[in-house]
């Protein structure tokens, strides 16, 4: 079972619309937000190992996935200012955690075999 839990502005805007005005919600989700703030993904990548594990643990848990302990992390190459890690929880489940420049995180769960 694959599970993606993106934290995005468009999702929040749509959820806040209350459904009363669908055209306004649709229009809001089509906005492209330009982020000009600090590179949070780069700051996360520079964290000491213990703090990095804590950030990745929090991203997995905030995505609603079970994780009691991050047992292994592996960093993947950067693309478009996005930082990616493979996170193994409790020695079993694996997630791909993507942290964007603006600090938003996407978590994709890999099914257990």
């Amino acid at each position: 079972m694959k599970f993606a839990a993106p934290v995005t502005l468009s999702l929040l805007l749509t959820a806040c619309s209350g459904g009363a005005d669908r055209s306004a919600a649709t229009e809001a989700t089509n906005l492209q937000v330009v982020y000009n703030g600090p590179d949070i993904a780069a700051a996360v990548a520079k964290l000491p190992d213990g703090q990095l594990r804590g950030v990745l643990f929090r991203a997995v848990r905030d995505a609603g996935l079970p994780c009691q302990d991050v047992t292994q992390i592996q960093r993947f190459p950067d693309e478009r200012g996005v930082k990616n890690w493979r996170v193994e929880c409790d020695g079993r489940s694996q997630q791909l955690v993507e942290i964007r420049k603006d600090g938003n995180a996407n978590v994709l769960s890999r099914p257990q075999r």
Side-chain angles (χ1 to χ4, degrees):
M1 175 169 94
K2 289 187 179 181
F3 177 79
V7 180
T8 63
L9 179 61
S10 62
L11 195 62
L12 294 174
L13 288 172
T14 303
C16 293
S17 70
D21 185 4
R22 290 286 181 205
S23 63
T26 302
E27 187 175 315
T29 60
N30 291 330
L31 292 175
Q32 189 166 22
V33 177
V34 177
Y35 178 75
N36 291 321
D39 189 346
I40 297 170
V44 168
K46 293 177 184 175
L47 289 173
D49 189 53
Q51 291 178 353
L52 176 60
R53 285 178 186 269
V55 168
L56 298 174
F57 170 79
R58 195 72 254 160
V60 171
R61 291 297 302 260
D62 287 350
L65 297 168
C67 184
Q68 297 300 315
D69 184 33
V70 172
T71 56
Q72 186 178 17
I73 56 175
Q74 178 184 2
R75 184 165 178 200
F76 290 96
D78 300 346
E79 292 181 18
R80 305 171 322 265
V82 175
K83 309 294 187 235
N84 298 293
W85 288 269
R86 183 182 58 80
V87 177
E88 186 173 295
C89 284
D90 309 319
R92 299 174 312 212
S93 66
Q94 294 181 357
Q95 285 70 248
L96 178 64
V97 178
E98 172 187 271
I99 300 181
R100 297 183 178 278
K101 186 176 180 178
D102 64 1
N104 285 326
N106 294 323
V107 178
L108 181 64
S109 180
R110 181 177 181 183
Q112 291 183 358
R113 297 177 192 170

